[in-house]
Amino acid sequence: MQLPLLTESSRCFVLQLAATTMASTEIARQAGEGARAVPLAGHVGFDSMPDQLVNKSVNHGFCFNILCVGETGLGKSTLMDTLFNTKFEGEPTQHNQPGVTLKSNTYELQESNVRLKLTVVNTVGFGDQINKEDSYKSIVEFIDAQFEAYLQEELKIKRTLHSYHDTRIHACLYFIAPTGHSLKSLDLVTMKKLDSKVNIIPIVAKSDAISKSELAKFKIKITSELVSNGVQIYQFPTDDESVAEINSTMNSHLPFAVVGSTEEVKIGNKMVKARQYPWGTVQVENENHCDFVKLREMLIRVNMEDLREQTHTRHYELYRRCKLEEMGFKDTDPDSKPFSLQETYEAKRNEFMGELQKKEEEMRQMFVQRVKEKEAELKEAEKELHEKFDRLKKLHQDEKKKLEDKKKSLDDELNMFKQKKTAAELLYNQAQQAGGSTTLKRDKERKN
Amino acid sequence: MSSGEILVSEADGNGGIMAQPKNLEGYVGFANLPNQVYRKSVKRGFEFTLMVVGESGLGKSTLINSLFLTDLYSPEYPGPSHRIKKTVQVEQSKVLVKEGGVHLLLTIVDTPGFGDAVDNSNCWQPVIDYIDSKFEDYLNAESRVNRRQMPDSRVQCCLYFIAPSGHGLKPLDIEFMKRLHEKVNIIPLIAKADTMTPEECQQFKNQIMKEIQEHKIKIYEFPETEDEEEMKLVRRIKDRLPLAVVGSNTIIEVNGKRVRGRQYPWGVAEVENGEHCDFTILRNMLIRTHMQDLKDVTNNVHYENYRSRKLAAVTYNGMDNNKNKGQLTKSPLAQMEEERRDHVSKMKKMEQEMEQVFEMKVKEKLMKLRDSEAELQRRHEQMKKNLEAQHRELEERRRQHDEEKAGWEAQQRILEQQKLDASRTLEKNKKKKIF
């Protein structure tokens, strides 16, 4: 397919289209009420605005970040090399990774006068584990981390958004293994987790392993599985008339079946990128052999800017909205009056300080409580101890009394005995003195 | 666009960049990015907000009409000079203009009444308030949780009209520019330049630029470019600042050409003639080459200044400013997060300390309790021993006594026996005697 290649003519084409179509621009729609259209009496010159904008962006340089998700060995690195016509870093990874890690590399590319800062992120170890339940987690975390970094930058007080190196993922190429049957459940699960965070472009990797008819069936199966599972893949935009047609055609060719190769083979009198088999040569850039050219056209040549825009206006906004709501920010207060930023921040801050103070108070209170409780406990223990010893004391006193009683009774006995003794001795003495009569007397006395 | 040269620079591990130009036959296609940007921007359309400030009668409306080749101000929509105001108002008019497929939403902000009163103190205040309120609107829109397409109504350029007195800047001019140069891009213009000869005009310009530098007023600066051609252009513009302009709504025929101009008995002052005035330079600069840059400077410099001042005031209400200068690089939310973390660790420490004190006190008390328990126990033991000793003593005495008693009783029994024997003998004897 021939797209207008030269800058000038394509721009004229765009302007002509804009001038002749009835469709209004976004600005015109926004203007609506409050702005009146006035005719110009001559050439003012603001039709150079797009050029001014373009010049600025060219001077500033562009930036694009691609994430490649797919099992080890599906040719991700090779495809990147082929797409960007260069050899990127790295050796092929083994299959023994314990988990999924993401490796990113940034390259400065230049084509004609356009500078591109390209970041390629690879998932290392995807699909290699026995238990793949958590495979998608590190990918989601990575994507979120890039959003978070941007959000933090955007929220700073002194910020430099203009020179910020945007690391948010603009496109996710999802590599599907060329089984010819259907999507693996790992694929479905992963894509479902990623579709609200990144633009997913599914591609069938190493598609030279599938025949044309199998491929057609495979594509249909994949598309229907994606639809039935509610996975939202990236659709090339059809709202811009200049590219609507080609985009909608391409949408029907998704997922693209690609072949990657950095080796060159001589075909006719040209060197082309190809893979040579005993039975023939698969030419990467031959549209009959695979969809590589389509992928390149769509991803890079036609929709790169749209991918970036979608990432910024849709995926990032969604992340930001969720994050802010999580932190308790709202747009309107209970009376539906809009909050000003200042109020929001102040309110947040007061709430926050209040919370901290409350926590401090609570802790203090807790300690006061514990002290009270412990004191009470100890007092109890003390009381018990005293009671115990009071009891012992009483016991002891009882014992003592008993002892005293015994003593007293003994003493009484002793006294009695003594009395008896003395009385007896007295009598005995008297008896001895009184002789016989005394004895009689004694008898008498005894009888008495 | 050359077909094959693709430059690849790889970042090496130490953060440097090595450029390796590779000459590959092949084409990637991202050189088309500018076209994609172009296409999208045309689809979106453009907007621009221009403010004009100056005393009435300086030809502001006429100049606007001339700049945009349209009747922005017409009998149905009269310009500021036709509306008599007692105080300074700030009014905006929005128009949508189309040219060559490019849509532009143009907002012209007027300040009728500016400088017209006898006492003009603070006549710049409504202007400042307006600009700030537009910044605030944008800030609020940007800070919402649900952000829609944010309409940008921030003032991107301010054309300041200087009366052609020929002498220098008036105090009002200086005051105004000093107060607004950090909020908006100021482009000073000499109005009604057809009242001065070229020499007078040049003198006037020099005087004005001198005064501007003296008062350290920062008027809009043209950006540096690497392109030689562009730099030459920029330098030419810079030499002719401030631009002396003439505006006209009427078309006059001069030498067979239809031009915009002002007809005098002595000739026609042509608006678009570079030798008559700097109008063309202004138009080219404002619309054809630097409109985007004006927007960018407003967004990246003036708005960011406003925003950081506003947010710093909010988050550091009442706190020591020196302490916080280093913290301005954090977002307020990150700031709060950090404070929360600090607080958590502070609380932990406090908790630990309190816990320690508590434990210590408890230990003390327990020890005291144990001591007194031991003491009481000891005394109890002692008393028990005492009692036992007494018991034994008592036992001993009893035993002794029992022994003694038993002994005595035995003795008594013997005595008794003896007595009994004696008495029996006596009885026997008695009985014997009787007989």
Side-chain angles (χ1 to χ4, degrees):
Chain A
M1 93 222 87
Q2 281 302 310
L3 281 177
L5 280 182
L6 294 175
T7 313
E8 273 315 303
S9 66
S10 81
R11 292 186 189 180
C12 289
F13 174 65
V14 165
L15 289 180
Q16 269 170 33
L17 209 56
T20 53
T21 50
M22 286 288 121
S24 54
T25 58
E26 282 174 40
I27 283 294
R29 269 191 294 263
Q30 259 181 49
E33 57 336 297
R36 50 186 222 276
V38 290
L40 300 173
H43 181 241
V44 178
F46 59 81
D47 55 351
S48 66
M49 274 299 272
D51 287 298
Q52 293 180 37
L53 184 62
V54 164
N55 285 339
K56 272 207 172 266
S57 16
V58 169
N59 281 335
H60 192 245
F62 296 92
C63 140
F64 195 69
N65 308 319
I66 302 184
L67 169 67
C68 293
V69 181
E71 297 174 14
T72 316
L74 279 184
K76 303 193 285 289
S77 318
T78 315
L79 186 68
M80 285 295 111
D81 289 349
T82 322
L83 260 179
F84 289 97
N85 247 330
T86 179
K87 182 92 184 78
F88 290 128
E89 63 77 71
E91 306 98 35
T93 38
Q94 306 300 314
H95 286 266
N96 54 4
Q97 306 290 323
V100 180
T101 49
L102 287 101
K103 269 218 308 243
S104 86
N105 288 295
T106 309
Y107 308 94
E108 301 254 350
L109 306 179
Q110 184 168 345
E111 192 178 30
S112 150
N113 64 336
V114 177
R115 284 174 294 125
L116 177 71
K117 209 177 217 162
L118 178 76
T119 303
V120 179
V121 187
N122 248 312
T123 51
V124 177
F126 188 75
D128 279 335
Q129 299 78 32
I130 294 178
N131 181 357
K132 300 190 253 262
E133 269 183 354
D134 294 335
S135 296
Y136 70 85
K137 281 206 186 128
S138 28
I139 304 178
V140 170
E141 272 168 19
F142 181 85
I143 296 176
D144 278 347
Q146 310 316 308
F147 283 149
E148 182 66 29
Y150 190 87
L151 181 64
Q152 285 302 325
E153 181 65 33
E154 203 187 29
L155 290 177
K156 275 192 198 170
I157 294 182
K158 264 195 161 62
R159 60 188 189 179
T160 47
L161 276 179
H162 184 61
S163 48
Y164 178 75
H165 177 213
D166 188 2
T167 53
R168 298 172 294 180
I169 301 294
H170 301 124
C172 170
L173 294 180
Y174 195 93
F175 288 68
I176 299 170
T179 58
H181 295 309
S182 60
L183 285 173
K184 299 195 187 153
S185 46
L186 172 67
D187 294 335
L188 278 171
V189 165
T190 311
M191 279 202 265
K192 194 89 181 83
K193 291 281 177 198
L194 293 179
D195 70 354
S196 59
K197 291 192 177 290
V198 74
N199 302 313
I200 300 185
I201 301 177
I203 56 183
V204 178
K206 295 198 167 174
S207 63
D208 51 350
I210 319 183
S211 75
K212 219 164 174 140
S213 51
E214 284 174 357
L215 188 62
K217 275 194 256 170
F218 191 32
K219 282 194 184 183
I220 294 175
K221 190 81 210 300
I222 293 177
T223 323
S224 71
E225 281 197 325
L226 289 175
V227 166
S228 60
N229 280 286
V231 175
Q232 304 225 349
I233 57 172
Y234 176 71
Q235 296 293 317
F236 304 115
T238 48
D239 51 354
D240 187 345
E241 300 85 21
S242 41
V243 290
E245 206 183 297
I246 186 167
N247 274 347
S248 60
T249 322
M250 287 300 163
N251 275 330
S252 61
H253 280 108
L254 282 173
F256 292 132
V258 294
V259 174
S261 170
T262 45
E263 287 162 5
E264 302 202 328
V265 171
K266 191 158 178 147
I267 302 275
N269 55 354
K270 276 209 314 181
M271 295 294 283
V272 293
K273 291 196 274 266
R275 285 174 64 76
Q276 194 150 49
Y277 291 102
W279 49 87
T281 311
V282 180
Q283 294 159 38
V284 169
E285 282 168 315
N286 185 331
E287 293 201 55
N288 287 325
H289 291 193
C290 72
D291 296 332
F292 174 81
V293 175
K294 295 195 179 71
L295 173 68
R296 184 177 61 196
E297 291 300 315
M298 286 293 103
L299 177 66
I300 300 176
R301 224 185 145 279
V302 178
N303 296 304
M304 204 180 226
E305 185 60 26
D306 185 70
L307 284 161
R308 284 173 30 162
E309 211 179 278
Q310 288 291 318
T311 306
H312 181 66
T313 54
R314 224 156 39 98
H315 301 296
Y316 171 69
E317 284 300 312
L318 181 64
Y319 174 83
R320 178 180 176 276
R321 191 174 31 230
C322 292
K323 197 71 201 284
L324 288 183
E325 280 178 357
E326 210 176 273
M327 293 205 259
F329 281 91
K330 285 190 292 283
D331 274 336
T332 56
D333 67 9
D335 302 319
S336 307
K337 279 202 294 278
F339 263 146
S340 86
L341 180 73
Q342 195 171 357
E343 284 174 25
T344 312
Y345 270 139
E346 262 179 51
K348 272 268 130 190
R349 186 173 183 76
N350 288 339
E351 198 187 306
F352 174 68
M353 290 314 236
E355 219 180 277
L356 294 184
Q357 273 182 338
K358 203 171 82 157
K359 280 212 177 103
E360 247 182 80
E361 254 320 290
E362 270 179 22
M363 195 177 84
R364 257 185 249 275
Q365 282 302 335
M366 189 189 74
F367 262 105
V368 166
Q369 187 68 17
R370 273 177 76 182
V371 165
K372 264 208 201 125
E373 282 177 10
K374 206 56 185 207
E375 255 183 17
E377 247 180 65
L378 288 177
K379 261 210 171 80
E380 264 302 309
E382 227 179 310
K383 199 164 106 183
E384 264 183 38
L385 190 71
H386 278 294
E387 279 181 7
K388 174 168 157 201
F389 281 106
D390 280 345
R391 272 196 310 251
L392 282 179
K393 200 162 151 194
K394 189 156 175 301
L395 258 171
H396 167 83
Q397 278 184 339
D398 286 346
E399 283 287 320
K400 199 166 177 185
K401 188 156 177 306
K402 269 204 232 154
L403 190 70
E404 293 289 316
D405 286 345
K406 273 202 192 150
K407 241 191 189 163
K408 190 160 174 301
S409 69
L410 181 68
D411 280 343
D412 285 343
E413 267 189 46
L414 274 174
N415 277 344
M416 252 184 18
F417 178 66
K418 219 178 184 166
Q419 277 181 357
K420 242 187 175 173
K421 209 166 140 179
T422 26
E425 277 184 1
L426 195 66
L427 277 172
Y428 183 72
N429 286 341
Q430 281 180 347
Q432 294 288 65
Q433 281 174 2
S437 54
T438 326
T439 320
L440 266 167
K441 268 197 185 157
R442 230 193 291 146
D443 281 5
K444 264 199 189 151
E445 272 179 333
R446 277 232 198 95
K447 278 188 187 153
N448 295 344
Chain B
M1 178 181 75
S2 62
S3 68
E5 179 135 346
I6 297 179
L7 273 145
V8 178
S9 352
E10 266 179 57
D12 65 21
N14 307 328
I17 307 246
M18 326 171 299
Q20 306 163 290
K22 286 190 192 171
N23 237 329
L24 292 176
E25 185 69 22
Y27 134 95
V28 179
F30 61 81
N32 204 38
L33 262 177
N35 288 340
Q36 297 179 33
V37 173
Y38 191 91
R39 181 171 31 98
K40 279 197 172 283
S41 68
V42 169
K43 179 139 204 318
R44 220 179 306 130
F46 297 87
E47 47 187 353
F48 192 71
T49 306
L50 180 65
M51 180 183 260
V52 280
V53 182
E55 299 165 14
S56 30
L58 284 181
K60 301 191 293 289
S61 328
T62 318
L63 186 73
I64 296 292
N65 282 350
S66 309
L67 266 178
F68 292 99
L69 293 176
T70 182
D71 287 329
L72 231 112
Y73 296 117
S74 59
E76 302 106 56
Y77 300 93
S81 48
H82 296 270
R83 290 166 277 156
I84 304 174
K85 305 284 182 211
K86 287 218 189 78
T87 54
V88 181
Q89 309 285 324
V90 181
E91 297 172 352
Q92 65 178 34
S93 337
K94 275 196 209 261
V95 289
L96 184 64
V97 286
K98 268 198 293 199
E99 185 173 69
V102 176
H103 292 232
L104 175 67
L105 179 63
L106 187 62
T107 309
I108 306 289
V109 182
D110 282 317
T111 53
F114 181 84
D116 288 341
V118 176
D119 180 4
N120 286 312
S121 342
N122 293 327
C123 67
W124 48 78
Q125 198 57 47
V127 178
I128 294 182
D129 292 341
Y130 179 86
I131 294 177
D132 276 347
S133 81
K134 292 300 164 190
F135 280 154
E136 169 132 10
D137 288 344
Y138 193 80
L139 179 62
N140 283 341
E142 191 191 32
S143 313
R144 286 171 62 87
V145 174
N146 281 308
R147 299 198 288 203
R148 306 266 167 260
Q149 192 70 21
M150 294 184 285
D152 189 359
S153 52
R154 300 173 291 184
V155 177
Q156 283 140 351
C157 179
C158 173
L159 297 179
Y160 187 76
F161 287 70
I162 301 168
S165 64
H167 291 185
L169 288 174
K170 294 206 209 105
L172 175 61
D173 301 334
I174 297 172
E175 269 307 306
F176 179 86
M177 287 199 275
K178 266 166 76 170
R179 283 166 193 280
L180 264 91
H181 65 165
E182 296 201 321
K183 288 190 180 289
V184 73
N185 299 315
I186 299 185
I187 299 180
L189 302 174
I190 299 175
K192 298 207 161 170
D194 52 348
T195 57
M196 291 187 289
T197 65
E199 296 81 27
E200 284 172 350
C201 196
Q202 192 56 49
Q203 242 184 340
F204 191 32
K205 285 187 183 183
N206 295 341
Q207 180 63 24
I208 292 177
M209 287 312 281
K210 200 173 88 176
E211 290 184 20
I212 283 180
Q213 274 171 11
E214 262 171 30
H215 291 272
K216 300 209 194 357
I217 294 172
K218 289 186 257 181
I219 57 174
Y220 172 66
E221 259 181 42
F222 298 87
E224 296 282 314
T225 50
E226 289 156 358
D227 188 22
E228 262 307 302
E229 284 295 314
E230 279 185 44
M231 272 320 281
K232 262 197 259 170
L233 215 88
V234 167
R235 237 168 283 142
R236 235 182 298 147
I237 300 176
K238 278 193 161 146
D239 288 338
R240 298 185 74 161
L241 284 178
L243 302 172
V245 292
V246 175
S248 168
N249 282 333
T250 45
I251 301 191
I252 305 167
E253 194 151 328
V254 174
N255 296 339
K257 275 205 315 185
R258 292 172 61 79
V259 293
R260 283 181 168 244
R262 291 172 61 75
Q263 176 96 60
Y264 290 105
W266 47 87
V268 176
E270 292 167 45
V271 168
E272 286 174 7
N273 189 329
E275 287 169 21
H276 293 193
C277 72
D278 300 325
F279 174 84
T280 324
I281 297 182
L282 173 67
R283 183 194 55 202
N284 290 348
M285 179 271 277
L286 179 64
I287 300 175
R288 295 185 187 176
T289 54
H290 286 84
M291 198 180 240
Q292 185 60 40
D293 185 66
L294 286 163
K295 287 168 68 163
D296 287 343
V297 172
T298 307
N299 186 46
N300 298 338
V301 178
H302 299 298
Y303 171 69
E304 289 297 320
N305 278 343
Y306 172 82
R307 183 181 173 276
S308 51
R309 241 178 291 139
K310 197 82 195 287
L311 290 183
V314 165
T315 16
Y316 299 112
N317 242 336
M319 275 160 73
D320 181 14
N321 272 323
N322 285 332
K323 192 165 64 134
N324 296 320
K325 283 230 166 72
Q327 293 172 326
L328 285 180
T329 50
K330 290 194 214 87
S331 75
L333 294 177
Q335 182 68 26
M336 285 209 282
E337 262 311 300
E338 211 179 274
E339 282 183 357
R340 173 169 295 157
R341 272 194 299 252
D342 280 347
H343 191 261
V344 165
S345 66
K346 187 177 98 171
M347 291 250 294
K348 256 209 177 78
K349 224 171 80 174
M350 212 166 73
E351 194 177 341
Q352 270 179 356
E353 277 176 18
M354 282 177 129
E355 189 77 42
Q356 263 183 352
V357 167
F358 182 75
E359 289 297 318
M360 202 178 70
K361 284 237 156 79
V362 166
K363 217 159 78 173
E364 252 180 52
K365 255 270 161 93
L366 275 180
M367 249 180 54
K368 243 184 91 200
L369 208 67
R370 261 200 296 269
D371 281 350
S372 79
E373 188 179 353
E375 174 70 22
L376 284 175
Q377 188 75 14
R378 196 179 53 78
R379 268 202 276 157
H380 164 75
E381 289 291 317
Q382 214 182 33
M383 288 207 286
K384 211 159 119 183
K385 266 210 200 108
N386 207 348
L387 270 184
E388 278 179 4
Q390 288 190 355
H391 247 285
R392 276 198 295 273
E393 199 189 304
L394 190 68
E395 285 299 313
E396 183 63 27
R397 274 175 69 191
R398 175 171 282 279
R399 200 179 50 77
Q400 274 184 351
H401 161 77
D402 282 344
E403 249 181 47
E404 203 184 318
K405 189 167 171 195
W408 183 77
E409 281 189 347
Q411 226 184 30
Q412 291 297 94
R413 272 199 295 278
I414 294 176
L415 274 175
E416 280 296 315
Q417 192 64 33
Q418 281 179 347
K419 257 193 232 139
L420 198 62
D421 285 342
S423 88
R424 265 206 212 115
T425 323
L426 205 62
E427 274 295 316
K428 254 195 222 161
N429 290 348
K430 247 192 186 167
K431 268 189 186 156
K432 276 185 191 154
K433 267 184 188 171
I434 293 169
F435 295 125

